[in-house]
Amino acid sequence: MISEKLEKAFNDQINKELYSEYLYLSMQAYFERLNLKGFVNWMSVQVQEEHAHAMGMFNYLHERGGKVELQAIDKPEIDWESPLAVFEKVLEHEEYVTSRINALMDVAEEVRDRAAISFLDWYLKEQVEEEANVGGVLATLKLIKNDANALLLLDKDLATRTFVAPVIG
Ligand code: OFO
């Protein structure tokens, strides 16, 4: 059985993951408006990943005999200045999520829940990957600046990203 304190921390993180899904869905809509279909694809994969992250914790709480308590999801931003501004926001958001996963790990350590610590290890590794992935796109966007042709080339590249359902835990 999971402790109440850790259960609450997991529920808070489920909300953060669902908010991430919502934020990236809003970014997907932004790229639809710009007709950048590769960026749309990249975001749609991101949306699915965030949903999988939330569901990983949702299922884990049940597995541990905990109670899932869904919370209200904040309204995400809907407009950005440029694709570069979007990816700056994505990186900032992922760094925030990493800090929240670390805080969740702190609670698991505090209540000495070794099973949860081992489960959360997957999320820590995933965050390293996510930040690197986003950082790569951001670096390219910084090089591109206002070059429309280069932006369309990147769009082509982002169209190749595919969603692979993660095996969590
Ligand atoms: Fe769930 O990793 Fe992004 O936010």
Side-chain angles (χ1 to χ4, degrees):
M1 190 79 180
I2 200 158
S3 81
E4 241 176 65
K5 186 167 185 181
L6 188 53
E7 178 187 82
K8 181 177 180 321
F10 262 103
N11 274 309
D12 288 347
Q13 190 58 34
I14 288 172
N15 181 263
K16 301 276 179 291
E17 300 294 342
L18 290 174
Y19 173 76
S20 302
E21 179 180 0
Y22 223 38
L23 175 66
Y24 297 144
L25 190 58
S26 187
M27 290 172 170
Q28 183 180 334
Y30 167 81
F31 285 121
E32 286 281 7
R33 293 196 291 281
L34 295 186
N35 201 31
L36 287 169
K37 298 298 188 191
F39 281 86
V40 167
N41 174 65
W42 194 96
M43 278 301 164
S44 87
V45 172
Q46 198 68 12
V47 165
Q48 294 172 79
E49 287 207 346
E50 297 306 345
H51 188 72
H53 297 167
M55 291 312 293
M57 290 185 182
F58 179 100
N59 293 332
Y60 184 70
L61 258 191
H62 286 126
E63 211 179 322
R64 295 289 309 276
K67 180 180 179 187
V68 167
E69 258 190 81
L70 295 179
Q71 305 161 16
I73 302 170
D74 290 340
K75 181 178 191 283
E77 287 166 74
I78 51 171
D79 275 314
W80 291 268
E81 246 174 49
S82 61
L84 175 66
V86 172
F87 273 83
E88 279 170 346
K89 177 69 202 188
V90 176
L91 185 59
E92 183 194 308
H93 182 69
E94 285 304 327
E95 285 169 352
Y96 168 69
V97 171
T98 299
S99 76
R100 296 320 305 158
I101 300 276
N102 275 318
L104 179 53
M105 186 64 118
D106 286 346
V107 177
E109 279 171 353
E110 191 192 316
V111 300
R112 307 177 122 242
D113 189 325
R114 291 202 165 78
I117 291 168
S118 141
F119 173 77
L120 286 170
D121 228 26
W122 183 90
Y123 282 85
L124 283 178
K125 287 187 191 123
E126 174 72 0
Q127 282 310 119
V128 172
E129 222 177 84
E130 292 236 312
E131 284 186 29
N133 203 351
V134 174
V137 180
L138 183 58
T140 309
L141 280 167
K142 281 182 178 160
L143 284 176
I144 285 175
K145 293 201 177 114
N146 292 324
D147 182 340
N149 284 333
L151 184 68
L152 290 177
L153 270 183
L154 175 61
D155 189 58
K156 256 194 181 165
D157 191 35
L158 299 185
T160 61
R161 187 184 187 194
T162 52
F163 174 67
V164 181
V167 182
I168 298 176

